[in-house]
mmCIF file of all heavy atoms in Angstrom:
data_model
loop_
_atom_site.group_PDB
_atom_site.id
_atom_site.type_symbol
_atom_site.label_atom_id
_atom_site.label_comp_id
_atom_site.label_asym_id
_atom_site.label_seq_id
_atom_site.Cartn_x
_atom_site.Cartn_y
_atom_site.Cartn_z
ATOM 1 N N SER A 1262 0.841 -1.197 0.000
ATOM 2 C CA SER A 1262 0.000 0.000 0.000
ATOM 3 C C SER A 1262 0.871 1.239 0.000
ATOM 4 O O SER A 1262 2.017 1.211 0.439
ATOM 5 C CB SER A 1262 -0.908 0.011 1.233
ATOM 6 O OG SER A 1262 -0.135 0.007 2.410
ATOM 7 N N LEU A 1263 0.301 2.332 -0.483
ATOM 8 C CA LEU A 1263 1.028 3.595 -0.500
ATOM 9 C C LEU A 1263 1.176 4.139 0.909
ATOM 10 O O LEU A 1263 0.302 3.961 1.745
ATOM 11 C CB LEU A 1263 0.280 4.610 -1.365
ATOM 12 C CG LEU A 1263 0.249 4.308 -2.872
ATOM 13 C CD1 LEU A 1263 -0.610 5.356 -3.578
ATOM 14 C CD2 LEU A 1263 1.640 4.265 -3.457
ATOM 15 N N PRO A 1264 2.273 4.830 1.194
ATOM 16 C CA PRO A 1264 2.478 5.350 2.543
ATOM 17 C C PRO A 1264 1.606 6.558 2.818
ATOM 18 O O PRO A 1264 1.170 7.250 1.897
ATOM 19 C CB PRO A 1264 3.959 5.734 2.524
ATOM 20 C CG PRO A 1264 4.219 6.109 1.101
ATOM 21 C CD PRO A 1264 3.375 5.174 0.282
ATOM 22 N N ARG A 1265 1.359 6.756 4.079
ATOM 23 C CA ARG A 1265 0.663 7.974 4.484
ATOM 24 C C ARG A 1265 1.683 9.071 4.723
ATOM 25 O O ARG A 1265 2.584 8.916 5.540
ATOM 26 C CB ARG A 1265 -0.133 7.733 5.769
ATOM 27 C CG ARG A 1265 -1.315 6.782 5.584
ATOM 28 C CD ARG A 1265 -2.093 6.676 6.876
ATOM 29 N NE ARG A 1265 -3.249 5.802 6.716
ATOM 30 C CZ ARG A 1265 -4.104 5.520 7.692
ATOM 31 N NH1 ARG A 1265 -3.920 6.060 8.918
ATOM 32 N NH2 ARG A 1265 -5.134 4.717 7.472
ATOM 33 N N LEU A 1266 1.542 10.165 4.027
ATOM 34 C CA LEU A 1266 2.505 11.255 4.136
ATOM 35 C C LEU A 1266 2.098 12.193 5.261
ATOM 36 O O LEU A 1266 0.932 12.577 5.378
ATOM 37 C CB LEU A 1266 2.582 12.036 2.821
ATOM 38 C CG LEU A 1266 3.085 11.238 1.606
ATOM 39 C CD1 LEU A 1266 3.125 12.145 0.394
ATOM 40 C CD2 LEU A 1266 4.449 10.634 1.870
ATOM 41 N N SER A 1267 3.061 12.561 6.067
ATOM 42 C CA SER A 1267 2.830 13.537 7.123
ATOM 43 C C SER A 1267 2.700 14.931 6.507
ATOM 44 O O SER A 1267 3.124 15.163 5.376
ATOM 45 C CB SER A 1267 3.995 13.523 8.113
ATOM 46 O OG SER A 1267 5.172 13.972 7.474
ATOM 47 N N PRO A 1268 2.115 15.893 7.222
ATOM 48 C CA PRO A 1268 2.030 17.269 6.684
ATOM 49 C C PRO A 1268 3.395 17.833 6.302
ATOM 50 O O PRO A 1268 3.515 18.534 5.304
ATOM 51 C CB PRO A 1268 1.390 18.043 7.850
ATOM 52 C CG PRO A 1268 0.614 17.018 8.608
ATOM 53 C CD PRO A 1268 1.400 15.749 8.502
ATOM 54 N N ALA A 1269 4.419 17.526 7.110
ATOM 55 C CA ALA A 1269 5.762 18.039 6.787
ATOM 56 C C ALA A 1269 6.252 17.458 5.479
ATOM 57 O O ALA A 1269 6.862 18.152 4.650
ATOM 58 C CB ALA A 1269 6.724 17.696 7.923
ATOM 59 N N ALA A 1270 5.981 16.150 5.249
ATOM 60 C CA ALA A 1270 6.423 15.526 4.006
ATOM 61 C C ALA A 1270 5.697 16.122 2.810
ATOM 62 O O ALA A 1270 6.285 16.327 1.741
ATOM 63 C CB ALA A 1270 6.189 14.015 4.087
ATOM 64 N N ILE A 1271 4.403 16.420 2.989
ATOM 65 C CA ILE A 1271 3.646 17.038 1.894
ATOM 66 C C ILE A 1271 4.207 18.414 1.564
ATOM 67 O O ILE A 1271 4.353 18.791 0.387
ATOM 68 C CB ILE A 1271 2.155 17.138 2.279
ATOM 69 C CG1 ILE A 1271 1.557 15.723 2.412
ATOM 70 C CG2 ILE A 1271 1.388 17.944 1.242
ATOM 71 C CD1 ILE A 1271 0.129 15.718 2.921
ATOM 72 N N MET A 1272 4.581 19.195 2.589
ATOM 73 C CA MET A 1272 5.155 20.520 2.351
ATOM 74 C C MET A 1272 6.467 20.416 1.598
ATOM 75 O O MET A 1272 6.752 21.200 0.687
ATOM 76 C CB MET A 1272 5.351 21.251 3.687
ATOM 77 C CG MET A 1272 4.049 21.651 4.363
ATOM 78 S SD MET A 1272 4.315 22.510 5.936
ATOM 79 C CE MET A 1272 5.154 23.955 5.336
ATOM 80 N N LEU A 1273 7.304 19.435 1.984
ATOM 81 C CA LEU A 1273 8.575 19.253 1.288
ATOM 82 C C LEU A 1273 8.347 18.873 -0.169
ATOM 83 O O LEU A 1273 9.066 19.320 -1.068
ATOM 84 C CB LEU A 1273 9.416 18.187 2.002
ATOM 85 C CG LEU A 1273 10.021 18.584 3.340
ATOM 86 C CD1 LEU A 1273 10.713 17.389 3.986
ATOM 87 C CD2 LEU A 1273 11.015 19.725 3.161
ATOM 88 N N LEU A 1274 7.348 18.009 -0.422
ATOM 89 C CA LEU A 1274 7.050 17.612 -1.795
ATOM 90 C C LEU A 1274 6.591 18.803 -2.624
ATOM 91 O O LEU A 1274 7.008 18.999 -3.762
ATOM 92 C CB LEU A 1274 5.979 16.521 -1.797
ATOM 93 C CG LEU A 1274 5.560 15.986 -3.184
ATOM 94 C CD1 LEU A 1274 6.772 15.405 -3.894
ATOM 95 C CD2 LEU A 1274 4.461 14.961 -3.050
ATOM 96 N N LEU A 1275 5.723 19.634 -2.031
ATOM 97 C CA LEU A 1275 5.269 20.830 -2.739
ATOM 98 C C LEU A 1275 6.411 21.790 -3.012
ATOM 99 O O LEU A 1275 6.473 22.415 -4.071
ATOM 100 C CB LEU A 1275 4.167 21.532 -1.926
ATOM 101 C CG LEU A 1275 2.847 20.760 -1.790
ATOM 102 C CD1 LEU A 1275 1.891 21.520 -0.878
ATOM 103 C CD2 LEU A 1275 2.212 20.536 -3.155
ATOM 104 N N LEU A 1276 7.336 21.900 -2.033
ATOM 105 C CA LEU A 1276 8.497 22.763 -2.238
ATOM 106 C C LEU A 1276 9.337 22.254 -3.386
ATOM 107 O O LEU A 1276 9.827 23.021 -4.221
ATOM 108 C CB LEU A 1276 9.338 22.823 -0.952
ATOM 109 C CG LEU A 1276 10.648 23.619 -1.040
ATOM 110 C CD1 LEU A 1276 10.353 25.089 -1.368
ATOM 111 C CD2 LEU A 1276 11.422 23.511 0.260
ATOM 112 N N GLY A 1277 9.525 20.930 -3.434
ATOM 113 C CA GLY A 1277 10.336 20.363 -4.507
ATOM 114 C C GLY A 1277 9.691 20.535 -5.855
ATOM 115 O O GLY A 1277 10.379 20.613 -6.873
ATOM 116 N N MET A 1278 8.338 20.553 -5.900
ATOM 117 C CA MET A 1278 7.637 20.683 -7.170
ATOM 118 C C MET A 1278 7.375 22.126 -7.556
ATOM 119 O O MET A 1278 6.834 22.396 -8.620
ATOM 120 C CB MET A 1278 6.307 19.924 -7.086
ATOM 121 C CG MET A 1278 6.472 18.432 -6.841
ATOM 122 S SD MET A 1278 4.907 17.562 -6.656
ATOM 123 C CE MET A 1278 4.202 17.783 -8.291
ATOM 124 N N THR A 1279 7.756 23.078 -6.689
ATOM 125 C CA THR A 1279 7.564 24.496 -7.014
ATOM 126 C C THR A 1279 8.434 24.869 -8.196
ATOM 127 O O THR A 1279 9.610 24.513 -8.249
ATOM 128 C CB THR A 1279 7.949 25.379 -5.812
ATOM 129 O OG1 THR A 1279 7.158 24.984 -4.705
ATOM 130 C CG2 THR A 1279 7.712 26.851 -6.129
ATOM 131 N N PRO A 1280 7.908 25.588 -9.179
ATOM 132 C CA PRO A 1280 8.732 25.988 -10.330
ATOM 133 C C PRO A 1280 9.962 26.755 -9.879
ATOM 134 O O PRO A 1280 9.897 27.596 -8.995
ATOM 135 C CB PRO A 1280 7.767 26.877 -11.143
ATOM 136 C CG PRO A 1280 6.401 26.443 -10.729
ATOM 137 C CD PRO A 1280 6.511 26.021 -9.294
ATOM 138 N N LEU A 1281 11.074 26.471 -10.545
ATOM 139 C CA LEU A 1281 12.336 27.096 -10.144
ATOM 140 C C LEU A 1281 12.304 28.589 -10.344
ATOM 141 O O LEU A 1281 12.912 29.339 -9.595
ATOM 142 C CB LEU A 1281 13.481 26.477 -10.965
ATOM 143 C CG LEU A 1281 13.717 24.985 -10.718
ATOM 144 C CD1 LEU A 1281 14.833 24.485 -11.625
ATOM 145 C CD2 LEU A 1281 14.066 24.727 -9.267
ATOM 146 N N SER A 1282 11.601 29.040 -11.359
ATOM 147 C CA SER A 1282 11.562 30.485 -11.608
ATOM 148 C C SER A 1282 10.902 31.226 -10.466
ATOM 149 O O SER A 1282 11.337 32.307 -10.069
ATOM 150 C CB SER A 1282 10.822 30.762 -12.920
ATOM 151 O OG SER A 1282 9.491 30.241 -12.837
ATOM 152 N N SER A 1283 9.818 30.635 -9.904
ATOM 153 C CA SER A 1283 9.148 31.301 -8.784
ATOM 154 C C SER A 1283 10.015 31.294 -7.554
ATOM 155 O O SER A 1283 10.041 32.244 -6.786
ATOM 156 C CB SER A 1283 7.812 30.618 -8.494
ATOM 157 O OG SER A 1283 8.019 29.281 -8.061
ATOM 158 N N GLN A 1284 10.763 30.174 -7.328
ATOM 159 C CA GLN A 1284 11.679 30.134 -6.188
ATOM 160 C C GLN A 1284 12.759 31.182 -6.334
ATOM 161 O O GLN A 1284 13.163 31.833 -5.381
ATOM 162 C CB GLN A 1284 12.306 28.749 -6.070
ATOM 163 C CG GLN A 1284 11.323 27.677 -5.642
ATOM 164 C CD GLN A 1284 12.041 26.399 -5.313
ATOM 165 O OE1 GLN A 1284 13.174 26.425 -4.861
ATOM 166 N NE2 GLN A 1284 11.381 25.294 -5.544
ATOM 167 N N ALA A 1285 13.250 31.351 -7.556
ATOM 168 C CA ALA A 1285 14.315 32.338 -7.779
ATOM 169 C C ALA A 1285 13.836 33.728 -7.436
ATOM 170 O O ALA A 1285 14.545 34.516 -6.822
ATOM 171 C CB ALA A 1285 14.772 32.274 -9.242
ATOM 172 N N SER A 1286 12.591 34.048 -7.814
ATOM 173 C CA SER A 1286 12.079 35.384 -7.522
ATOM 174 C C SER A 1286 11.932 35.602 -6.035
ATOM 175 O O SER A 1286 12.181 36.686 -5.524
ATOM 176 C CB SER A 1286 10.725 35.579 -8.225
ATOM 177 O OG SER A 1286 9.762 34.662 -7.710
ATOM 178 N N VAL A 1287 11.526 34.541 -5.297
ATOM 179 C CA VAL A 1287 11.383 34.669 -3.844
ATOM 180 C C VAL A 1287 12.722 34.959 -3.201
ATOM 181 O O VAL A 1287 12.876 35.871 -2.392
ATOM 182 C CB VAL A 1287 10.766 33.388 -3.247
ATOM 183 C CG1 VAL A 1287 10.839 33.433 -1.723
ATOM 184 C CG2 VAL A 1287 9.315 33.254 -3.701
ATOM 185 N N PHE A 1288 13.748 34.165 -3.581
ATOM 186 C CA PHE A 1288 15.060 34.344 -2.956
ATOM 187 C C PHE A 1288 15.671 35.674 -3.356
ATOM 188 O O PHE A 1288 16.281 36.361 -2.532
ATOM 189 C CB PHE A 1288 15.991 33.195 -3.357
ATOM 190 C CG PHE A 1288 15.774 31.945 -2.560
ATOM 191 C CD1 PHE A 1288 14.951 30.938 -3.027
ATOM 192 C CD2 PHE A 1288 16.384 31.768 -1.336
ATOM 193 C CE1 PHE A 1288 14.738 29.784 -2.294
ATOM 194 C CE2 PHE A 1288 16.186 30.625 -0.590
ATOM 195 C CZ PHE A 1288 15.355 29.626 -1.070
ATOM 196 N N SER A 1289 15.552 36.067 -4.625
ATOM 197 C CA SER A 1289 16.161 37.323 -5.054
ATOM 198 C C SER A 1289 15.496 38.513 -4.396
ATOM 199 O O SER A 1289 16.146 39.475 -4.006
ATOM 200 C CB SER A 1289 16.087 37.438 -6.582
ATOM 201 O OG SER A 1289 14.740 37.443 -7.014
ATOM 202 N N SER A 1290 14.138 38.454 -4.253
ATOM 203 C CA SER A 1290 13.456 39.564 -3.590
ATOM 204 C C SER A 1290 13.837 39.645 -2.129
ATOM 205 O O SER A 1290 13.993 40.712 -1.561
ATOM 206 C CB SER A 1290 11.938 39.396 -3.733
ATOM 207 O OG SER A 1290 11.506 38.216 -3.071
ATOM 208 N N ARG A 1291 14.034 38.459 -1.516
ATOM 209 C CA ARG A 1291 14.429 38.437 -0.112
ATOM 210 C C ARG A 1291 15.815 39.051 0.051
ATOM 211 O O ARG A 1291 16.077 39.828 0.963
ATOM 212 C CB ARG A 1291 14.410 36.989 0.383
ATOM 213 C CG ARG A 1291 14.340 36.850 1.888
ATOM 214 C CD ARG A 1291 14.161 35.392 2.269
ATOM 215 N NE ARG A 1291 12.796 34.932 2.087
ATOM 216 C CZ ARG A 1291 12.425 33.677 2.224
ATOM 217 N NH1 ARG A 1291 13.321 32.753 2.529
ATOM 218 N NH2 ARG A 1291 11.161 33.322 2.082
ATOM 219 N N ASP A 1292 16.751 38.713 -0.874
ATOM 220 C CA ASP A 1292 18.100 39.291 -0.824
ATOM 221 C C ASP A 1292 18.053 40.794 -1.043
ATOM 222 O O ASP A 1292 18.757 41.559 -0.386
ATOM 223 C CB ASP A 1292 18.996 38.642 -1.897
ATOM 224 C CG ASP A 1292 19.295 37.188 -1.570
ATOM 225 O OD1 ASP A 1292 19.117 36.817 -0.388
ATOM 226 O OD2 ASP A 1292 19.695 36.451 -2.480
ATOM 227 N N ALA A 1293 17.188 41.216 -2.001
ATOM 228 C CA ALA A 1293 17.111 42.649 -2.292
ATOM 229 C C ALA A 1293 16.616 43.432 -1.088
ATOM 230 O O ALA A 1293 17.132 44.500 -0.764
ATOM 231 C CB ALA A 1293 16.194 42.879 -3.502
#
């Protein structure tokens, strides 16, 4: 059977699937 994912695991999966371009804008704006 498929595993049950904890909320933290789901957040990590969503982070990994976030488009790189959007992540870049977040980090660059934070640096700015």
Side-chain angles (χ1 to χ4, degrees):
S1262 60
L1263 292 176
R1265 292 184 178 180
L1266 297 181
S1267 66
I1271 294 174
M1272 291 180 64
L1273 288 175
L1274 180 59
L1275 293 176
L1276 176 62
M1278 298 177 65
T1279 302
L1281 296 178
S1282 59
S1283 64
Q1284 291 190 31
S1286 63
V1287 170
F1288 279 95
S1289 61
S1290 63
R1291 199 173 282 173
D1292 291 342

